[in-house]
Amino acid sequence: MANPSCLRAAARNLSSSLFRNSTSRSARFVRHHSSSPASSVSADELSHFSGLASSWWDPMGPSRVLHLMNPLRHDFIAECLAESSPAPPRQLSPEKQNGSEASSEGLRYLDVGCGGGIFAESLARTIPLSRSSSSSVSPTNAASILAIDPSSTLIKIARDHARMDPAIFEHMRSGRFRYENTTVEALSEQSTEDTSSASSSSSPAAAADRTFDVITLFEVIEHVDPKTSPLTFLKHCLRLLRPGGWLIGSTIARTVPSYVVNKVVAEAPWPIGVVPRGTHEWSKFVNADELRGWVEEALMRAKDGTARRAGSEALQGMKWKCAGVVYIPGWGWKMVKGGEDWGNYFWALIHGSCARADNSLEKNVVVTIEACIRYIAIGP
């Protein structure tokens, strides 16, 4: 009679061989397609916002409402962070042990669709100039920021403006603050490849270097290319989010009140209107419950790594947060809890456990192969 321990060892060896071959084929497939990942960037939107580049930093120009809303973005992020446990220390790869992020107790931020840098630059100002600084920690607790945008014109505007501030320029020199002309899809594809390489070399620290503690999507989701599903866009964002991290954004509800405020009034001729005509497309606005459904599905797909649903276990530890924001002439933007249907609103999701489903699948395969070998060796 065959020794049970030998059967288990044989089953594990065979299973490992199968998974290595499968992973190798999958890696080749990913590399083949990663050079041109499907982009969520709309050519029309890109052209529209690039055309506003020269006036992006004019506080009374077409981007005036973004300048006015910016302090509230910081407040909402601070609220989210206050409702979650502090993130555990990040493991850094050996090459970063002596870098700008070493010994940092702050958070890594990714600002997607940063435009000319209104939010990203304001967040960079909260980063301490030195790790030994005893100054009070900002509620947003940023240690580093990567801000990305598909418009090379806007990235140039953002970099040029940031260099005008010596403190911000120092953060750019140290690498704690960076602008990149890229898309979240390209960043996600690169992260997937790097993480696969790190996993094969058993380096969890290297894999952690590719994720972020907070990812922001301010006024972005309603400008995604209609040919690309917002679900796919969100999936790429969540692949870059660290377990326990926050995905935070703002958008506009697709309701009658929002149409009146954001299309009829906001895009009216001067002196009534506050944004250029054509800035918004009402059909692309997103209601809060609709967005939550997309985020939950994207979270399951991001965990599974494919187009299949990973199941409800991917949603364990998830928390959804939402708050309306209203612009009041003379007073500016005010946060209104429960006012998500009125127009603009902030939304946020805290990412729970991100353990891949592959481990449980491999265990099932081991059990199945072991049972087959036992059947062959000792009979039914």
Side-chain angles (χ1 to χ4, degrees):
M1 181 179 294
N3 189 323
S5 62
C6 292
L7 291 175
R8 284 192 293 272
R12 290 194 184 94
N13 290 337
L14 180 56
S15 173
S16 297
S17 177
L18 290 172
F19 270 85
R20 277 196 300 271
N21 292 337
S22 174
T23 302
S24 177
R25 287 193 296 270
S26 298
R28 287 195 296 270
F29 180 79
V30 169
R31 283 194 292 271
H32 178 73
H33 288 275
S34 62
S35 59
S36 56
S39 173
S40 59
V41 179
S42 166
D44 292 339
E45 298 277 7
L46 188 65
S47 175
H48 174 80
F49 287 105
S50 295
L52 301 175
S54 60
S55 60
W56 202 271
W57 281 96
D58 180 0
M60 299 303 293
S63 300
R64 177 170 175 258
V65 291
L66 299 181
H67 286 273
L68 293 173
M69 183 187 283
N70 205 43
L72 216 56
R73 293 169 170 175
H74 287 256
D75 293 343
F76 186 72
I77 292 173
E79 275 192 20
C80 293
L81 296 178
E83 295 178 9
S84 59
S85 302
R90 177 183 293 273
Q91 286 183 287
L92 295 178
S93 56
E95 60 269 20
K96 290 195 175 183
Q97 290 295 329
N98 298 318
S100 61
E101 293 182 48
S103 303
S104 172
E105 296 181 357
L107 304 174
R108 285 188 78 193
Y109 277 75
L110 171 64
D111 184 28
V112 179
C114 64
I118 294 174
F119 169 72
E121 186 173 310
S122 67
L123 187 66
R125 288 195 177 90
T126 69
I127 301 176
L129 284 173
S130 65
R131 302 186 200 115
S132 59
S133 175
S134 59
S135 58
S136 59
V137 177
S138 165
T140 49
N141 194 24
S144 67
I145 309 160
L146 171 59
I148 65 172
D149 198 276
S151 170
S152 58
T153 304
L154 289 176
I155 287 294
K156 182 181 183 302
I157 289 291
R159 286 172 177 162
D160 289 346
H161 191 273
R163 292 189 182 101
M164 297 168 61
D165 186 323
I168 302 297
F169 183 60
E170 179 58 33
H171 288 325
M172 295 177 75
R173 289 183 57 189
S174 68
R176 288 189 290 266
F177 179 35
R178 292 184 293 129
Y179 282 113
E180 285 190 17
N181 176 211
T182 188
T183 64
V184 72
E185 290 85 4
L187 208 62
S188 171
E189 291 287 332
Q190 183 60 49
S191 175
T192 300
E193 289 189 2
D194 292 346
T195 302
S196 298
S197 300
S199 299
S200 62
S201 61
S202 301
S203 176
D209 284 345
R210 279 79 180 179
T211 58
F212 298 85
D213 300 295
V214 181
I215 298 179
T216 55
L217 306 171
F218 291 124
E219 311 303 316
V220 170
I221 196 72
E222 69 271 23
H223 299 293
V224 169
D225 189 345
K227 298 177 183 177
T228 304
S229 168
L231 175 60
T232 303
F233 170 76
L234 290 167
K235 180 184 71 173
H236 284 290
C237 294
L238 288 166
R239 281 181 176 174
L240 295 166
L241 187 63
R242 184 186 186 191
W246 283 93
L247 179 66
I248 300 175
S250 58
T251 189
I252 310 173
R254 193 177 62 258
T255 60
V256 173
S258 77
Y259 181 85
V260 173
V261 172
N262 291 281
K263 288 294 295 181
V264 178
V265 177
E267 295 187 10
W270 188 88
I272 298 175
V274 292
V275 297
R277 188 172 182 83
T279 297
H280 299 122
E281 188 174 333
W282 187 76
S283 62
K284 293 169 69 175
F285 290 175
V286 185
N287 294 330
D289 55 349
E290 185 178 22
L291 179 56
R292 179 173 183 171
W294 287 347
V295 170
E296 290 180 352
E297 175 67 12
L299 186 57
M300 290 189 283
R301 294 191 183 192
K303 175 177 179 178
D304 187 69
T306 69
R308 300 190 304 273
R309 295 172 66 97
S312 59
E313 69 275 5
L315 304 181
Q316 292 180 359
M318 186 201 91
K319 180 179 180 180
W320 173 261
K321 182 178 175 66
C322 203
V325 281
V326 177
Y327 179 72
I328 305 174
W331 282 273
W333 288 96
K334 300 297 179 183
M335 202 176 308
V336 180
K337 301 296 174 64
E340 299 84 53
D341 295 336
W342 298 0
N344 295 72
Y345 64 92
F346 287 124
W347 58 271
L349 165 90
I350 187 169
H351 190 351
S353 174
C354 195
R356 292 188 178 276
D358 293 353
N359 291 336
S360 59
L361 178 60
E362 184 170 359
K363 289 178 182 177
N364 291 337
V365 172
V366 169
V367 172
T368 303
I369 294 176
E370 183 179 344
C372 292
I373 294 176
R374 182 183 293 108
Y375 183 89
I376 295 172
I378 62 179

